[in-house]
């Protein structure tokens, strides 16, 4: 019983000797992938909640409603084709965020204000 | 190979690996576009994909009773619960896709029987009491597994688990309430509940997987922060949680070795039949063939819907072009 473990979440599933999908040719073209953003309530930003497949934008919206807002989680939904998003790499050796790393003077705590100055 | 790749040369793996290890050590999350070891990625694909398959196949045992629910209230509840399980499957497929596999590929692997799903769903649901027992014990065991997974090291998986866990609480409570209602009924109803609990207790314990000594993957999964507790720890937690719930309900568990151990501060309990478990994983459980046949049929029956939607979308695009 060696290849099993409880990481199935809903129950133990094998974690070895199971193919991972690379090289499997799907027999039909897949609907495009959409990223879903939900505004939780008025006054808040839309927040990314996940993705789904849909044939067109209208179906993407309806599926997003059914998958991500079954319990009043949102008052507004955006769906965006995943291939239309341009993203930075969060990590790697990417100097993308370096420009903000050394500018401590952009933060209010950089400045010493005497204790007796109120409301600042 | 593009010009930039040539200019940058091959990725310095050792350094990337150190960076990955440091992120894990800080208890930070790994996100989709981060570099990750191939073993980590593959383990996650297997785990998340088969978790997703479990949610999808998991609709069948209970879906079986929707048309025969005893009241409109129970029917509405069961419909909502089964719909949630579909949602759980979709959250998880969405998380798996961030690892560079497609949902359709994973579906193909399930339909071909090459990826598995949790064996718990290979047991039949013989009475309406099973709907209650599944909510209480099966979703209860899933909660024990899934709550620590909210802190798993892979960001999209943890976020999916947070959504899932919020909904599981409803699943467990509606099941327990259903059983409690039956226990206040006739002797016959009480007997139905006990019979159902007797059938599901051992399979529920099997959901946590083989004992730690027989789970060689656990150490690696814990080192990667994918898994947070061992199989035996989670099983113990589940047993300790369930015993007082059973007492309050007025049912017993079919385990003569089950008793409180003052010294350990935990319940002692017997081992499930691991032979039976292995047979289920291999595809020889009581309902494996039925579950797979149903899943394949549903997929094939849905083909015309997928084709029609694709054709309609293409037509709309042409019209607006
Ligand atoms: Fe679920
Ligand atoms: Fe559930």
């Amino acid at each position: 019983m060696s290849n099993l473990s409880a990481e199935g979440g809903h129950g133990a599933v094998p974690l070895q000797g199971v193919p991972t999908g690379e090289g499997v040719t799907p027999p039909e073209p897949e609907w495009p992938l959409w990223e879903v953003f939900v505004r939780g309530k008025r006054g808040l930003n839309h927040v990314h909640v996940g993705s789904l497949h849909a044939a067109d934008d209208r179906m993407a919206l309806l599926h997003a409603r059914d998958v991500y807002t079954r319990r009043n989680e949102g008052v507004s939904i955006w769906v965006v084709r995943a291939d239309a998003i341009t993203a930075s790499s969060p990590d790697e050796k990417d100097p993308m965020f370096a420009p903000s790393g050394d500018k401590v003077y952009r933060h209010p705590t950089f400045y010493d204000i005497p204790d007796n100055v109120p409301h600042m | 190979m593009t010009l930039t790749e040539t200019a940058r040369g091959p990725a310095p793996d050792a350094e990337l690996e150190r960076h990955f290890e440091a992120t894990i050590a800080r208890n930070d999350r790994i996100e989709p576009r981060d570099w990750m070891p191939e073993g980590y990625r593959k383990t996650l694909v297997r785990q998340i994909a088969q978790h997703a398959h479990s949610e999808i196949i998991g609709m069948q045992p209970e879906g079986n009773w929707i048309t025969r629910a005893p009241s409109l209230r129970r029917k509405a509840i069961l419909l909502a619960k089964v719909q949630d399980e579909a949602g759980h499957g979709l959250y998880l497929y969405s998380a798996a896709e961030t690892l560079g596999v497609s949902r359709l590929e994973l579906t193909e692997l399930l339909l071909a029987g090459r990826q598995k799903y949790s064996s718990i769903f290979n047991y039949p649901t013989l009475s309406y009491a099973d709907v209650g027992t599944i909510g209480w014990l099966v979703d209860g065991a899933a909660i024990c597994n899934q709550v620590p997974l909210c802190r798993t090291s892979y960001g999209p998986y943890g976020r999916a688990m947070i959504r899932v866990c919020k909904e599981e609480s409803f699943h467990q409570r509606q099941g327990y309430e259903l059983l409690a209602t039956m226990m206040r009924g006739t002797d016959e109803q009480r007997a139905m509940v006990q019979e159902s609990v007797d059938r599901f207790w051992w399979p529920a314990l099997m959901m946590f997987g083989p004992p730690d000594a027989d789970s060689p993957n656990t150490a690696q999964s814990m080192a990667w922060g994918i898994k947070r507790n061992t199989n035996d720890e989670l099983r113990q937690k589940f047993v300790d949680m369930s015993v007082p719930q059973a007492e309050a309900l007025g049912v017993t568990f079919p385990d003569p070795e089950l008793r409180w151990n003052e010294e350990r501060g935990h319940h002692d309990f017997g081992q499930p039949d691991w032979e039976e478990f292995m047979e289920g994983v291999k595809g020889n459980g009581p309902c494996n063939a039925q579950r797979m046949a149903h899943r394949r049929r549903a997929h094939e029956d849905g083909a015309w819907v997928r084709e029609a939607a694709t054709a309609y979308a293409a037509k709309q695009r042409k019209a607006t072009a």
Side-chain angles (χ1 to χ4, degrees):
Chain A
M1 64 177 99
S2 54
N3 298 331
L4 292 141
S5 127
E7 289 96 345
H10 232 301
V13 289
L15 288 186
Q16 273 168 8
V18 170
T20 51
E22 283 94 341
V24 176
T25 317
E28 53 186 284
E30 195 161 30
W31 288 341
L33 188 68
W34 304 73
E35 298 294 338
V36 180
F37 301 79
V38 171
R39 185 198 297 286
K41 56 178 185 179
R42 288 170 185 277
L44 297 180
N45 287 322
H46 285 76
V47 173
H48 182 244
V49 292
S51 65
L52 49 76
H53 289 275
D56 57 34
D57 46 8
R58 198 182 138 65
M59 184 195 251
L61 269 182
L62 291 177
H63 283 183
R65 178 199 63 189
D66 292 344
V67 176
Y68 292 105
T69 63
R70 286 194 300 284
R71 288 177 177 78
N72 306 318
E73 290 96 334
V75 295
S76 161
I77 302 174
W78 288 346
V79 290
V80 183
R81 280 276 298 250
D83 57 15
I85 293 178
T86 307
S88 70
S89 290
D91 227 26
E92 294 180 16
K93 309 264 86 204
D94 202 332
M96 176 82 170
F97 299 104
S100 77
D102 58 355
K103 293 181 181 60
V104 281
Y105 49 85
R106 284 183 173 171
H107 298 275
T109 46
F110 179 71
Y111 302 94
D112 276 335
I113 304 291
D115 286 348
N116 58 356
V117 178
H119 306 307
M120 194 178 283
Chain B
M1 196 180 269
T2 66
L3 199 64
T4 36
E5 276 169 15
T6 321
R8 288 168 75 192
D13 264 2
E15 201 171 315
L16 289 172
E17 186 138 19
R18 263 199 303 282
H19 191 80
F20 170 85
E21 299 288 350
T23 307
I24 297 281
R26 277 199 314 274
N27 233 333
D28 238 343
R29 299 293 184 267
I30 304 295
E31 294 294 344
R33 289 161 64 84
D34 287 334
W35 182 91
M36 59 188 86
E38 204 41 29
Y40 177 83
R41 198 182 66 81
K42 287 203 156 129
T43 299
L44 279 170
V45 170
R46 293 187 183 109
Q47 179 167 330
I48 300 173
Q50 297 183 111
H51 193 164
H53 301 331
S54 303
E55 303 283 356
I56 298 297
I57 297 282
M59 290 191 278
Q60 292 185 37
E62 291 176 286
N64 182 36
W65 284 95
I66 289 174
T67 54
R68 290 169 289 162
S71 68
L72 195 54
R73 178 176 182 273
R74 291 292 168 199
K75 187 171 185 160
I77 292 170
L78 186 54
L79 266 171
K81 201 250 179 190
V82 171
Q83 192 191 7
D84 272 355
E85 303 301 0
H88 296 179
L90 293 175
Y91 304 155
L92 285 156
Y93 284 127
S94 163
E97 290 194 289
T98 65
L99 293 158
V101 290
S102 81
R103 189 178 81 190
L104 206 50
E105 286 173 331
L106 301 176
T107 303
E108 283 304 308
L109 287 169
L110 170 68
L111 297 181
R114 298 179 65 204
Q115 287 189 342
K116 310 291 181 189
Y117 55 90
S118 171
S119 295
I120 190 71
F121 301 117
N122 289 322
Y123 292 90
T125 42
L126 305 178
S127 79
Y128 207 80
D130 288 359
V131 172
T133 308
I134 287 176
W136 173 36
L137 294 178
V138 174
D139 289 90
I143 289 171
C144 281
N145 267 333
Q146 290 172 155
V147 166
L149 285 175
C150 294
R151 293 178 294 111
T152 195
S153 61
Y154 188 57
Y157 192 25
R159 292 192 285 275
M161 282 299 103
I162 290 170
R163 303 185 71 84
V164 165
C165 285
K166 277 189 194 155
E167 300 179 353
E168 289 294 359
S169 171
F170 146 59
H171 298 178
Q172 195 185 24
R173 290 174 67 116
Q174 64 82 31
Y176 193 84
E177 187 229 40
L178 190 165
L179 296 179
T181 306
M182 289 184 77
M183 292 302 284
R184 288 194 299 273
T186 62
D187 283 347
E188 208 183 345
Q189 285 176 304
R190 274 186 286 278
M192 272 170 79
V193 173
Q194 184 62 58
E195 189 272 336
S196 172
V197 169
D198 286 345
R199 268 184 293 115
F200 274 97
W201 175 246
W202 292 114
L205 289 193
M206 292 178 201
M207 287 174 68
F208 298 94
D212 293 349
D214 297 314
S215 302
N217 296 308
T218 294
Q220 180 61 78
S221 276
M222 288 181 76
W224 276 331
I226 296 174
K227 191 178 168 80
R228 297 290 183 183
N229 304 91
T230 70
N231 298 356
D232 285 333
E233 282 168 14
L234 292 167
R235 190 167 15 247
Q236 180 73 63
K237 194 172 168 218
F238 175 69
V239 171
D240 290 340
M241 266 172 43
S242 301
V243 167
Q245 292 169 352
E247 273 163 21
L249 195 58
V251 297
T252 57
F253 293 131
D255 180 359
E257 294 173 53
L258 181 63
R259 66 179 61 87
W260 178 250
N261 182 327
E262 189 69 56
E263 230 166 88
R264 291 200 309 125
H266 291 290
H267 292 87
D268 291 338
F269 56 96
Q271 284 292 314
D273 180 351
W274 291 115
E275 287 291 306
E276 180 183 315
F277 174 75
M278 283 313 298
E279 284 306 307
V281 173
K282 282 189 221 145
N284 305 323
C287 296
N288 285 56
Q290 184 188 331
R291 300 287 184 244
M292 287 305 295
H294 185 93
R295 182 69 192 83
R296 282 191 199 105
R297 193 167 56 240
H299 190 72
E300 283 157 21
D301 288 352
W304 73 269
V305 179
R306 295 192 293 277
E307 281 160 27
T310 305
Y312 179 76
K315 202 169 131 192
Q316 293 299 105
R317 264 197 310 280
K318 220 183 261 169
T320 54

